[in-house]
Amino acid sequence: MGIRFGVCASAENAGLLAGIGFDYIELGLAYVASLPEGGYADLKAAVLGSGIKAEAFNLFFPHGIKLTGPEYEPGMVAGYAKAALARAAGLGAEIAVVGSGRSRQIPDGFPRAEAERQFAESLRIVGEAAAAHGIVAVIEPLNARESNIANSVSESLGIMEAADHPNVRVLADFFHIREMDEGYGGVLEAGDRLRHVHISNAAGRAYPKASGEDDYGRFRDALKAIGYAGRMSVEAQTADFAKDAEAAIAFLRPFFGD
């Protein structure tokens, strides 16, 4: 099976994405977890009736749950992850993205080694909750403006190894790779530990529409070199969702899916 394509979007867009040829939608987990039971039931009915599932989730933690620093509480992480991932599983989740830059941000003056230990521990906790539903949690490398830990695929691999859980793996986000001028060595290093991909045009974090607008070719080559056949979600900004989503799938499927 080749790469599956989706979009990070709100649930009301699921039917539109299905209609123009996307395979899944990627929803925000913190939002889904915050819904009252009736709201979750309504969202579930809408998504499952759209023709596609929410196979992936991003925006894992609300800002109030800390993964590093003096406010980190393993019990709070565990309770939230268990409840949130149960809801995600009901919507078809197979991937849960741990980006959450504000939650994992190391506070000024806090010992980095201890923060790294905490972050790895929090990911192990998430992995345990994810395993109960057959979900893989992936660490999202974020550029240095959005986080001061796990800024590259290679660094995220080290944290993944410290977490030491089979349901914790890594993500490659083309936008953050470009922002950090990281290159694609981390993708090659990750190999089959790379379980999810985000993509956008790094110029303005726009919807990807054409091969010449960014360095997509080298990214594709790296993914092909490791035999990547997972999911690729557009995570981008737009003023015209329907138009840009249609242009994106027309470009992405033949370019990355061959």
Side-chain angles (χ1 to χ4, degrees):
M1 186 174 72
I3 293 176
R4 293 174 63 77
F5 297 93
V7 178
C8 299
S10 53
E12 62 264 25
N13 292 304
L16 185 153
L17 293 175
I20 62 177
F22 279 95
D23 301 309
Y24 67 92
I25 188 170
E26 182 166 330
L27 299 178
L29 184 57
Y31 171 73
V32 171
S34 74
L35 292 171
E37 286 299 328
Y40 172 69
D42 290 344
L43 182 146
K44 182 176 180 179
V47 171
L48 297 185
S50 71
I52 58 176
K53 294 181 180 180
E55 296 180 9
F57 284 77
N58 63 356
L59 304 171
F60 196 110
F61 286 99
H63 299 155
I65 296 181
K66 302 302 182 184
L67 308 181
T68 67
E71 297 178 49
Y72 166 62
E73 295 183 18
M76 183 179 293
V77 172
Y80 171 79
K82 183 177 179 180
L85 289 171
R87 284 193 164 186
L91 294 164
E94 296 187 29
I95 294 290
V97 177
V98 183
S100 306
R102 289 174 64 177
S103 291
R104 79 196 204 196
Q105 181 79 4
I106 303 172
D108 291 343
F110 192 81
R112 185 171 187 88
E114 175 62 9
E116 290 174 347
R117 185 201 66 77
Q118 291 174 330
F119 189 35
E121 180 182 71
S122 69
L123 289 161
R124 190 177 312 119
I125 291 167
V126 167
E128 286 292 323
H133 302 285
I135 295 171
V136 175
V138 291
I139 307 166
E140 180 177 23
L142 300 173
N143 70 72
R145 294 192 309 278
E146 298 183 29
S147 174
N148 59 5
I149 186 171
N151 300 126
S152 68
V153 177
S154 293
E155 184 186 353
S156 297
L157 284 168
I159 295 168
M160 182 209 83
E161 290 171 357
D164 193 24
H165 194 285
N167 288 70
V168 177
R169 291 295 181 258
V170 298
L171 174 153
D173 186 305
F174 181 77
F175 172 78
H176 294 295
I177 287 173
R178 297 286 282 147
E179 286 289 291
M180 294 297 294
D181 196 22
E182 178 186 350
Y184 308 106
V187 171
L188 298 175
E189 181 185 357
D192 63 5
R193 297 173 295 178
L194 182 69
R195 294 297 181 87
H196 195 47
V197 168
H198 282 167
I199 192 162
S200 65
N201 180 345
R205 206 167 192 175
Y207 273 62
K209 299 176 183 177
S211 60
E213 70 189 17
D214 210 330
D215 192 29
Y216 303 130
R218 291 177 62 216
F219 188 46
R220 178 185 61 184
D221 291 347
L223 293 174
K224 285 192 171 184
I226 63 170
Y228 181 76
R231 294 173 181 82
M232 177 179 289
S233 297
V234 177
E235 187 179 34
Q237 301 170 349
T238 176
D240 190 334
F241 181 85
K243 180 181 178 181
D244 285 349
E246 188 169 3
I249 192 62
F251 161 59
L252 292 172
R253 197 175 293 283
F255 190 81
F256 285 95
D258 287 346

